[in-house]
Amino acid sequence: MIPREILKKIRQIELRTNRLVTETLGGQYHSVFKGQGMNFEEVREYQPGDDVRFIDWNVTARINHPFVKKYVEERELTLMLVVDVSGSGLFGSGDQSKRELAAEIASVLAFSAIRNNDKVGLILFSDEVERYFPPKKGKRHVLRVIREILFFEPKRRGTNLNLALEFLNRVTPHRAIVAVISDFLGENDMTSAVPKSKPNSLVPSLPMGASVIGSLRQTNRRHDVVAVQVADRYEQMLPALGRLMLRDAETGELVEINTGDKRHREAFKRRQLDAQADLLKLFRSARIDSLQLRTNEPYGSALAKFFETRQKRMMHG
């Protein structure tokens, strides 16, 4: 028996995201995620404006009247949600944690997918693959996916995206839409290069670096990868609250930082912004579309803008 509080939470997300899908995003999803080919559907009479390349010359000759072949998009796609459930996802400085935001975004994408008759699969990962749900259709399956993202208790707390992508490529032989939903915090190439005695090493969480981009690039060659980064405002800018003891949610490491010192806050902000800029540059170099969302900001307009930009780019090649 699923506890009433869990059902209530899932129902709230379903209502919020379904409205968004119905009003705007369902159609945009269909436009920006296309099938790989076209299937022949029927032959019909030629109408002014039809492309002459589609005239069926055999039928036209037999009936002595122009007919064209009609094709429909080979639509059935698979959406794979690759969702980070590592320890850092439980952080949120406002009403919503990063993991709750991840569940809402996954819900929007999954409801858009089943509305377009696509299948939805789920991989939950920390520094190992925690759970795998093979792709299926239907609302009941999507509600199960949302529940797992929200309430699954991982065995481990670290992050290993490379391992998750390796698993994805093993279990998904055909081309799929892959939404990687993560804060993309974890092992960064900068981390090991900075001496522990330096102020910049006081707060350990940095956006991932080049160590994951190889796997993302390789996965993007086989699938259509979209990186959805869920973040919190205080991961880029510390509030002035005096001396604080901070615990890394993934490693358990404790660090003390004086947030009352403006120089420390500025150094932290500069380091996080530089690492974030590097991450975005890596996404672009791997030709991976990315979207950045924050726990304290509405995501509907950001998602709509992302779809719109992607659609324009596809139209212009």
Side-chain angles (χ1 to χ4, degrees):
M1 178 71 76
I2 302 171
R4 184 175 296 179
E5 281 306 305
I6 291 180
L7 289 174
K8 185 179 171 187
K9 181 82 176 171
I10 295 169
R11 180 67 180 152
Q12 286 171 342
I13 289 181
E14 181 192 0
L15 287 175
R16 273 201 301 271
T17 57
N18 237 335
R19 190 178 305 130
L20 199 58
V21 170
T22 302
E23 291 172 358
T24 52
L25 299 179
Q28 287 183 308
Y29 171 94
H30 185 280
S31 301
V32 300
F33 296 118
K34 294 287 189 184
Q36 289 299 293
M38 304 292 282
N39 285 332
F40 172 72
E41 186 181 46
E42 61 177 358
V43 172
R44 63 162 172 77
E45 282 189 68
Y46 175 85
Q47 295 171 359
D50 282 342
D51 193 328
V52 295
R53 290 176 299 175
F54 295 120
I55 290 178
D56 187 323
W57 294 107
N58 288 331
V59 176
T60 299
R62 275 204 304 274
I63 302 181
N64 201 26
H65 188 78
F67 275 75
V68 292
K69 291 178 181 174
K70 187 180 173 189
Y71 294 88
V72 292
E73 181 189 354
E74 187 186 3
R75 175 64 220 181
E76 186 173 294
L77 299 175
T78 297
L79 168 67
M80 287 300 302
L81 298 166
V82 182
V83 181
D84 181 353
V85 290
S86 63
S88 60
L90 299 177
F91 178 65
S93 60
D95 295 333
Q96 193 175 42
S97 70
K98 290 187 285 181
R99 187 145 155 201
E100 288 170 326
L101 176 58
E104 292 215 14
I105 303 306
S107 176
V108 170
L109 295 174
F111 277 119
S112 298
I114 60 168
R115 190 169 292 244
N116 286 283
N117 205 31
D118 294 345
K119 294 178 184 172
V120 178
L122 173 67
I123 294 172
L124 298 176
F125 73 96
S126 55
D127 55 8
E128 64 179 36
V129 174
E130 298 272 355
R131 289 297 294 273
Y132 168 58
F133 293 88
K136 286 185 183 175
K137 294 181 180 179
K139 180 180 169 183
R140 190 173 174 182
H141 175 64
V142 167
L143 292 176
R144 172 84 189 276
V145 163
I146 298 169
R147 190 181 83 205
E148 292 296 328
I149 296 173
L150 275 175
F151 298 106
F152 179 78
E153 294 187 8
K155 295 190 290 291
R156 301 176 65 87
R157 303 186 65 80
T159 306
N160 190 331
L161 179 55
N162 288 331
L163 208 61
L165 294 176
E166 188 182 307
F167 178 82
L168 165 81
N169 289 325
R170 205 163 56 240
V171 298
T172 314
H174 303 296
R175 185 172 174 81
I177 304 160
V178 176
V180 181
I181 307 176
S182 170
D183 56 15
F184 291 92
L185 294 178
E187 187 66 27
N188 184 293
D189 309 320
M190 276 177 62
T191 311
S192 57
V194 180
K196 289 286 183 186
S197 58
K198 297 285 185 186
N200 277 356
S201 67
L202 286 175
V203 183
S205 294
L206 273 174
M208 295 173 190
S211 59
V212 298
I213 208 65
S215 297
L216 279 168
R217 185 180 282 118
Q218 186 183 5
T219 304
N220 197 40
R221 288 193 193 109
R222 297 180 59 176
H223 305 290
D224 183 358
V225 177
V226 174
V228 183
Q229 185 181 18
V230 290
D232 189 274
R233 56 187 163 166
Y234 289 150
E235 287 169 341
Q236 289 202 335
M237 187 182 303
L238 288 173
L241 296 173
R243 286 194 174 276
L244 295 176
M245 288 296 292
L246 303 178
R247 181 188 297 276
D248 188 301
E250 299 193 5
T251 65
E253 183 183 1
L254 276 171
V255 291
E256 183 179 11
I257 184 167
N258 182 8
T259 61
D261 188 326
K262 189 177 177 182
R263 290 171 305 168
H264 283 183
R265 294 202 309 275
E266 290 297 323
F268 175 84
K269 182 179 173 183
R270 193 165 51 250
R271 186 189 76 151
Q272 297 302 102
L273 289 177
D274 287 347
Q276 176 68 17
D278 288 343
L279 181 67
L280 298 185
K281 198 183 297 181
L282 288 171
F283 286 146
R284 285 194 295 273
S285 73
R287 302 176 69 82
I288 290 172
D289 288 340
S290 68
L291 169 66
Q292 285 68 46
L293 301 170
R294 289 180 188 276
T295 54
N296 64 320
E297 295 172 357
Y299 59 81
S301 55
L303 266 175
K305 188 177 177 186
F306 169 78
F307 282 141
E308 194 180 316
T309 304
R310 184 179 160 105
Q311 191 172 4
K312 282 181 184 170
R313 185 173 53 74
M314 288 170 69
M315 285 173 65
H316 294 94

